[in-house]
Amino acid sequence: MSFFTLRKADLSIRTADELADYFHHAGIKRVSTEQLKGYELTIFSDLAGNAPERYVGNNGDFIVQFGSLIYRKMVGHKALQSALESFDQETFDWADMLGSYTLLIYKSGDFYVVNDGLGTAKLYFDDAEHVISNSFLACCLSTPISHLNTAACYEYVINGALFGTDTLVEGVNSYPANTIIRASTGTIHSIVKPSPIQQSDEVAALSLNEAATLHCQQLRNVFESIAHGYADRLRVSFSGGFDSRLMLAMLLEQDIKPALFVYGSDHDADVLIARHVAKAEGLELVHVNKAATPIPNLDEFEAISRRNLIAFDGWKVEYGLLDHGEDVTDRLSRHDQNAVPLNGSLGEIYRNFHYIPDGRSSTGAVTSTFYSQYDTRAFSAQFSEKDYRQRFSNNMLAALHSEHERLERYQVEELYPLFRGRFWTGRDTQLNQRFGTMFFPYMEPKAIDNTAKVAIKHKDLGYLQGKMIAQTNPRLASYPSDYGFPFDGPRPLAYRAKTWLGTQRPAWLRKQSFKLTNRNPFDKAGVFSEAYLQQVIDPTFPRVGSLFELTSVYSQKQFGLIATLEFLATELDLSVKLKL
C-alpha cells in the first residue's frame, strides 16, 4: 500500500523532504507534497514505486486510493470518480465497496479519510492529532515520541500482533474501525459509523444445505466483482485446505482460470495436493520454498534488516523483522506482470476457529484458549498477567460493542472477524497492500455477514465450508485435501476424535500448552547469533531487555519479536518507562 501523511506542517518534527529521504532507501518514492488549508499532504508510492490511484474533478475536488478498492464493480479512475461524486459523510456506508483500502477525499473544502468496512487498514495519529497517516512508521517519524508502550510490547511478543487502538509507541494510536476522519479548518473530527457487517437471527435455524447456499451466494457477490475487475490478472495462494479450494471454485464458476502459487518444501502435503489439483484442472502452479533462501552475508544483513523495517512499517505480524530477506522478495514477486493475488485469510468464518464447545463462554476463556501463548518466567516484574488479561477482555468487548464479559456463543464467533481478523490478519492485510494490489475475499463484510449465528454443528469438522465447495464445484470437492479426506466425503473417525478432544480441552489446560511445547532453550544460530544481531542492534538489548528475562525466552519466534522491538526502539531512539 502506498501511504500518506496529513500534517500540520509547522508542528511536524521532520520536513516532507526528510521523510522522503528516509523512505527512499526501501524503494519508496515521494509522489507529491501539497499545502491545503492548514495541512500539508504528502503522498508516497508503494514498495514497487507505484503511485496510488488519484482522480481529480473539474472543480478541484479529488480522491486518492491507497490499497485495493472495487466500487460498484468498477476499478481505477472510474471507481474513484463514482466514489467521489457519491460521497456524503452523512449518508456514507460501505455497501458498494470491496477491498482493503484507505481513501483520502477532498470535497467541498474538507478532507475526509475513510478505511475499509472491517477496519483492517489502520489510521495512526499522535496525541494532539497534528499528524494522521496510514503508516505507523511515518506517523512516529513525524511527531515527538520517547517511550515504548510496555503493555503493547508484551502483547506483541505473546501474539505477534496488537489488538485494539494502542501501538508499540506511547503517543501514537490508531482510530477505531468504522471511523471517518474529517479535517476542517485545522480541526480533526471523528465520525463513527455503524459496522456494515450484519448478523441475522434467522440463519441459526438453517439446515447445512441452506446455510451453504446462503453463504455461497454472499461469497459469489464478492467474487463476481473481483473477477469483473481483474479477470486474467488473478493469482491464488493455494494449499491443501478449505479456504484456497473454495476461492478456486468461486473463480472457476466465473470462468476465470487463475495461476496458483504454493508455499512449502517439495514433500509438504500442501505442495503435493496443489500439484495434484493444478494438474487435474490444467492450471499454472508456482512452487515457492522460502525456507531454502540462504542466510545473507554479514555485510548484507544490516541493509536487508533496514529494508524490512521500512517495508513492514516498523513491525511484522507473527514473525520478527530479522530474516534472510526472503519475505520482501517473495511478496514483491507475487505482483510480477501486474498480477493481483488472492489470499484465503479469515476463511475460518465458516468453521469453528476457536475450537470452543457450543454454549456460552467468556472473554477470559477466549483469552486462555487463544491468547495465552507465554511463559511468565520469560518476563520481568514489569509484566502483570492480571493487567494483560484485563486488557484483552476490554479490547474484545470494544470490538463487540458489549459490556458483558460473559459471551453468547455467537459473540465468540463474532470475535474471529472483528477481533482476530481486524487486528492480527488485518495488520498483515495492510502490509501486503504495500507491495501491490491484493484481495482477501473472506475479509469482506459481504462475506462475513450472517456467519456468526450459523449452527456450530455445521461449522464443526468443516462441514459448512466443504458443502460450499461441493455446491460450487463438485469436482474440486472430490480431490484430496491435507486433512486426509476429500471435502465432499465423510470425516474419518481419527479426525473426528482428534477434533473433539481438541475442542473439549478446558481453557485452563490450553493456557498451559505454550509452556509444555517450549521447555528448552533454542540454538541462537543464524540471524539470531551474536555476530548477526550486532549488525543491527546491541545484542545485550539495552532498550527492551528490562521487560524480559532473556535467558528464559525459549521460543525462537518470541525472541525474534523481542529483537524486532529492540530494532524499532533503536531506530526511533525509544526507551522503556519502568514501573517503580
Side-chain angles (χ1 to χ4, degrees):
M1 180 183 286
S2 45
F3 62 93
F4 71 92
T5 58
L6 184 64
R7 311 186 297 171
K8 291 186 177 179
D10 56 334
L11 296 175
S12 177
I13 65 171
R14 281 181 173 83
T15 66
D17 288 342
E18 289 171 330
L19 279 181
D21 287 343
Y22 181 86
F23 288 109
H24 177 74
H25 297 293
I28 295 170
K29 302 174 183 177
R30 176 169 53 167
V31 176
S32 63
T33 297
E34 51 200 300
Q35 306 298 324
L36 294 166
K37 290 198 172 182
Y39 289 94
E40 179 186 78
L41 171 65
T42 302
I43 294 174
F44 296 88
S45 73
D46 64 17
L47 288 156
N50 300 309
E53 291 274 3
R54 179 172 183 153
Y55 170 79
V56 182
N58 293 331
N59 61 355
D61 290 348
F62 64 83
I63 181 171
V64 187
Q65 169 193 332
F66 303 90
S68 57
L69 172 72
I70 300 174
Y71 185 72
R72 296 176 179 171
K73 293 191 176 181
M74 296 179 287
V75 299
H77 274 62
K78 288 184 178 180
L80 293 182
Q81 179 181 359
S82 182
L84 176 62
E85 291 173 351
S86 64
F87 178 79
D88 182 288
Q89 72 167 60
E90 298 296 332
T91 60
F92 174 83
D93 62 33
W94 287 266
D96 295 318
M97 295 180 165
L98 293 175
S100 304
Y101 52 82
T102 298
L103 299 179
L104 181 63
I105 299 168
Y106 182 71
K107 188 169 185 178
S108 302
D110 287 338
F111 291 109
Y112 298 90
V113 190
V114 178
N115 280 352
D116 60 278
L118 179 57
T120 62
K122 302 297 182 290
L123 275 178
Y124 302 98
F125 64 97
D126 67 312
D127 282 345
E129 292 185 302
H130 291 157
V131 181
I132 296 175
S133 178
N134 59 337
S135 164
F136 165 67
L137 202 52
C139 191
C140 289
L141 291 167
S142 300
T143 191
I145 52 176
S146 56
H147 295 103
L148 291 166
N149 181 324
T150 298
C153 288
Y154 283 124
E155 190 173 299
Y156 177 54
V157 170
I158 292 169
N159 300 284
L162 300 178
F163 297 81
T165 57
D166 284 356
T167 75
L168 293 169
V169 174
E170 289 188 4
V172 175
N173 295 287
S174 64
Y175 290 104
N178 308 120
T179 299
I180 295 177
I181 305 304
R182 178 166 66 92
S184 178
T185 61
T187 304
I188 300 295
H189 304 271
S190 300
I191 306 160
V192 180
K193 291 283 187 176
S195 168
I197 298 170
Q198 305 295 315
Q199 302 292 351
S200 170
D201 291 334
E202 297 177 0
V203 301
L206 296 180
S207 68
L208 177 60
N209 274 323
E210 290 169 337
T213 299
L214 169 67
H215 287 292
C216 278
Q217 186 53 51
Q218 289 184 184
L219 192 59
R220 188 171 292 119
N221 292 335
V222 173
F223 276 89
E224 284 176 352
S225 295
I226 294 174
H228 183 267
Y230 294 96
D232 58 356
R233 293 170 56 190
L234 297 172
R235 304 179 69 202
V236 172
S237 178
F238 204 70
S239 71
F242 287 95
D243 304 330
S244 58
R245 193 79 59 91
L246 181 54
M247 286 198 299
L248 179 57
M250 284 284 164
L251 288 175
L252 292 177
E253 187 180 57
Q254 299 296 321
D255 293 324
I256 302 295
K257 298 193 74 173
L260 309 179
F261 59 101
V262 63
Y263 294 103
S265 63
D266 287 342
H267 302 292
D268 282 353
D270 280 341
V271 175
L272 296 175
I273 290 167
R275 286 173 176 162
H276 177 86
V277 174
K279 182 178 180 181
E281 296 295 319
L283 300 173
E284 174 191 346
L285 175 69
V286 174
H287 171 207
V288 181
N289 185 4
K290 292 197 289 187
T293 304
I295 189 169
N297 295 328
L298 267 177
D299 58 359
E300 301 173 323
F301 188 59
E302 181 182 8
I304 289 171
S305 300
R306 185 162 298 281
R307 187 190 188 200
N308 284 349
L309 180 77
I310 296 175
F312 294 110
D313 199 28
W315 61 276
K316 187 166 62 166
V317 175
E318 189 173 16
Y319 295 98
L321 295 175
L322 306 187
D323 61 23
H324 297 183
E326 71 279 8
D327 203 2
V328 166
T329 300
D330 171 64
R331 295 194 198 211
L332 283 170
S333 71
R334 295 173 188 170
H335 302 277
D336 288 348
Q337 299 179 337
N338 210 23
V340 176
L342 302 185
N343 183 283
S345 292
L346 214 73
E348 285 175 288
I349 51 175
Y350 306 120
R351 309 203 297 280
N352 184 349
F353 171 76
H354 293 103
Y355 282 84
I356 290 177
D358 203 357
R360 291 183 175 180
S361 189
S362 67
T363 58
V366 175
T367 301
S368 293
T369 298
F370 222 85
Y371 300 102
S372 294
Q373 299 298 297
Y374 59 86
D375 185 338
T376 55
R377 291 174 295 186
F379 302 152
S380 74
Q382 298 295 311
F383 178 72
S384 167
E385 187 167 21
K386 178 182 178 181
D387 290 349
Y388 170 82
R389 293 178 64 83
Q390 189 60 56
R391 176 185 174 90
F392 254 80
S393 177
N394 293 343
N395 285 334
M396 287 181 194
L397 295 178
L400 295 171
H401 298 288
S402 174
E403 297 178 353
H404 306 290
E405 292 191 7
R406 291 295 296 172
L407 303 177
E408 300 296 331
R409 189 61 178 84
Y410 79 87
Q411 291 179 302
V412 175
E413 295 303 292
E414 284 186 306
L415 283 174
Y416 177 48
L418 299 183
F419 192 68
R420 178 76 173 186
R422 179 176 291 159
F423 297 115
W424 195 101
T425 318
R427 171 66 178 180
D428 198 48
T429 300
Q430 187 172 21
L431 292 181
N432 273 304
Q433 303 295 335
R434 293 169 70 85
F435 297 83
T437 300
M438 190 169 180
F439 285 91
F440 297 74
Y442 303 124
M443 300 187 75
E444 300 294 343
K446 289 180 180 179
I448 299 169
D449 282 350
N450 302 312
T451 54
K453 295 185 177 181
V454 170
I456 296 300
K457 65 181 180 181
H458 297 336
K459 290 186 169 185
D460 283 339
L461 303 172
Y463 285 127
L464 173 61
Q465 202 167 11
K467 183 65 69 174
M468 292 172 68
I469 297 169
Q471 284 189 6
T472 308
N473 190 312
R475 187 178 63 254
L476 283 182
S478 70
Y479 295 141
S481 74
D482 62 5
Y483 289 86
F485 54 83
F487 293 133
D488 64 352
R491 282 32 176 176
L493 177 60
Y495 177 73
R496 285 185 283 128
K498 178 182 178 181
T499 301
W500 184 86
L501 288 171
T503 303
Q504 297 304 312
R505 275 187 304 161
W508 65 265
L509 181 59
R510 292 175 70 169
K511 184 175 181 292
Q512 305 303 315
S513 62
F514 180 85
K515 296 179 184 178
L516 296 174
T517 54
N518 292 273
R519 290 175 291 179
N520 300 305
F522 68 93
D523 182 19
K524 291 185 177 66
V527 298
F528 296 138
S529 68
E530 185 168 334
Y532 276 86
L533 286 178
Q534 66 186 6
Q535 303 301 310
V536 290
I537 62 173
D538 181 337
T540 66
F541 292 79
R543 295 179 183 268
V544 302
S546 59
L547 300 180
F548 305 98
E549 299 294 341
L550 290 169
T551 57
S552 298
V553 176
Y554 291 170
S555 163
Q556 185 181 62
K557 183 187 295 186
Q558 290 191 349
F559 185 84
L561 297 174
I562 295 169
T564 292
L565 291 177
E566 184 72 25
F567 189 20
L568 178 67
T570 302
E571 181 73 3
L572 299 178
D573 193 19
L574 302 174
S575 60
V576 170
K577 189 187 299 181
L578 298 177
K579 294 185 296 184
L580 298 178

